[in-house]
Amino acid sequence: MPRAALRLLLVAPLLVALVAASQGPGRSAPTRPGAPAAPAFAALPRIAQLEVTRLGGIDHVSLREAAPLLGLRATWAEKERQLTLADASGKVVFEADSREVSFHGLRLFLGRPVVLRDGVVLVSKVDFERVLLARLRPALLGAPPPRPRVVALDPGHGGTDNGMENKSLGLKEKVLTLDVAQRVARLLAARDFTVVLTRKSDAPLAADKATDFRRRAEVANRAGADVFVSIHFNSLYPDTKTSGTETYTFTPQFQRSDRAWSPAERDDTERDAAPVNRYDAWSSLLGQCLHREIIGRLGTLDRGQKTMHSAVMRGLDCPAVLVESVFLSNDAEARLASTPAGRQRIADAIATGIVAYADAVAALQPKPGP
Ligand SMILES: [Zn+2]
């Protein structure tokens, strides 16, 4: 066992300090009435005691100060203005004034830019606790969710909503998402997961989109889903060059979504937590597992792990990710999506990512007593 892992095991019983209440500017997170209690969001007392620097009303913590508590080595490169945290499993590279992080070679966009202040590299506390900690040291998050058994798959679009289309190849996103979801379902059922699909046919769940989205989440919640994955295909017509994979988690409370960082967009920060925000940290880990497998297995361009205020994920009672697998507006990727073998490869990658997450959570379960 690596020394760092042993050290974590030794301090695990000390997981007590609740930090959820310190997420943002002085407000606790109301959730839907009647929703089950949030899983304990705890961190090592030493991590809860990390010095907090308040900048523009936002709490930040020092990455260099956090590194030894996580069993990571910190290195600062002055010329590149980059701080690297590393251990035997890989490295995470942060750059001053950028939201983009290279996480074990994959692109990850934080909710706020990394700040360099008086020679100290700071990340927002929300990013540290809800995005980075889960990916680096999930054992430090406190009580893990139960070992995942029920997986909800959401084939995007349906009915009159075709989603994206590639007219020259005769492709409709709503048809492809259902086909890929059914393939993922078969792969997971063969691994003893219970799988529910939010739709099993072309029929929409409601005439209006808002109700349709809400009902998809209700299907997953009623089934007691431990994991929710929404499957989509991307498009950027008239641009046909852009290709690659994006994975989205629901935007954490007090942050703005990725799209809202472009200058033309308004700030869409939400002051109240959505039900699915209770699972931010675990959604982040799920996103990492899916993104790694999809990029690794399909060899697609890495367009990054991002966040959005997704209506379909908002009301969920479990960790959730939305996958924009490949671009239908890009000929090469559309051809992959147009063949059963290509769709099987996409399904394989998604199923493997879900299994990787389930294995990671299973490994965190408390060991039965003697
Ligand atoms: Zn879509």
Side-chain angles (χ1 to χ4, degrees):
M1 181 183 294
R3 214 173 335 147
L6 182 63
R7 211 158 47 226
L8 292 178
L9 279 183
L10 293 174
V11 294
L14 300 171
L15 300 173
V16 288
L18 281 167
V19 291
S22 62
Q23 291 302 302
R27 273 186 78 165
S28 64
T31 53
R32 195 175 36 171
F41 192 71
L44 271 175
R46 280 186 298 167
I47 285 176
Q49 285 163 18
L50 278 175
E51 193 178 310
V52 170
T53 306
R54 207 155 169 88
L55 298 171
I58 309 283
D59 287 349
H60 289 72
V61 295
S62 157
L63 285 170
R64 192 183 277 281
E65 190 190 339
L69 308 182
L70 302 174
L72 296 163
R73 229 176 23 258
T75 331
W76 170 247
E78 179 66 41
K79 200 160 129 259
E80 295 83 9
R81 305 176 78 234
Q82 285 180 344
L83 184 86
T84 301
L85 300 183
D87 67 2
S89 70
K91 61 182 183 177
V92 187
V93 185
F94 301 84
E95 190 178 323
D97 304 321
S98 174
R99 290 193 304 118
E100 184 172 343
V101 173
S102 169
F103 194 101
H104 293 184
L106 295 171
R107 297 175 78 197
L108 166 67
F109 290 87
L110 298 178
R112 299 200 62 84
V114 169
V115 179
L116 176 62
R117 191 177 159 102
D118 304 330
V120 180
V121 182
L122 302 159
V123 287
S124 85
K125 200 156 176 272
V126 173
D127 281 322
F128 182 73
E129 291 175 348
R130 304 231 159 198
V131 180
L132 296 169
L133 202 49
R135 293 161 184 264
L136 289 164
R137 297 288 179 256
L140 297 188
L141 287 169
R147 171 195 290 264
R149 294 181 194 285
V150 181
V151 176
L153 299 172
D154 175 47
H157 313 279
T160 53
D161 171 13
N162 290 335
M164 304 303 182
E165 293 184 55
N166 181 315
K167 294 211 161 76
S168 61
L169 290 173
L171 303 176
K172 288 191 175 115
E173 184 184 1
K174 67 170 185 179
V175 177
L176 304 177
T177 56
L178 182 57
D179 180 89
V180 169
Q182 286 166 335
R183 291 171 190 275
V184 177
R186 284 195 288 274
L187 291 165
L188 292 178
R191 310 264 323 230
D192 290 334
F193 288 93
T194 300
V195 183
V196 288
L197 294 178
T198 56
R199 68 174 174 96
K200 297 193 187 80
S201 72
D202 188 35
L205 281 77
D208 71 288
K209 289 306 288 180
T211 311
D212 177 277
F213 285 138
R214 209 178 54 243
R215 291 211 177 135
R216 290 174 194 246
E218 284 165 7
V219 169
N221 290 346
R222 266 201 308 274
D226 300 305
V227 174
F228 179 95
V229 177
S230 188
I231 299 170
H232 289 257
F233 290 79
N234 221 332
S235 174
L236 214 58
Y237 284 120
D239 171 357
T240 56
K241 293 216 163 48
T242 299
S243 66
T245 300
E246 295 170 348
T247 58
Y248 286 88
T249 47
F250 194 87
T251 308
Q253 187 186 14
F254 306 119
Q255 293 192 339
R256 65 177 93 165
S257 70
D258 267 81
R259 197 174 60 183
W261 281 96
S262 45
E265 299 284 340
R266 66 173 184 86
D267 185 345
D268 63 354
T269 300
E270 295 186 1
R271 315 306 296 175
D272 293 334
V276 74
N277 280 134
R278 289 167 295 161
Y279 305 93
D280 281 345
W282 302 103
S283 296
S284 185
L285 180 59
L286 174 63
Q288 172 177 284
C289 293
L290 279 162
H291 199 67
R292 185 182 60 215
E293 293 305 327
I294 295 170
I295 301 280
R297 283 166 186 267
L298 299 182
T300 44
L301 194 77
D302 182 358
R303 290 178 50 83
Q305 302 163 76
K306 305 173 179 178
T307 77
M308 67 194 291
H309 287 113
S310 152
V312 74
M313 294 197 280
R314 177 178 294 280
L316 288 166
D317 289 338
C318 66
V321 165
L322 185 150
V323 174
E324 292 281 2
S325 52
V326 297
F327 275 79
L328 296 186
S329 48
N330 174 273
D331 272 351
E333 292 195 343
R335 275 197 297 277
L336 174 80
S338 73
T339 67
R343 292 195 294 278
Q344 189 64 31
R345 282 183 60 204
I346 296 171
D348 266 323
I350 293 172
T352 310
I354 294 170
V355 172
Y357 168 77
D359 288 346
V361 172
L364 298 170
Q365 301 302 312
K367 303 281 176 287

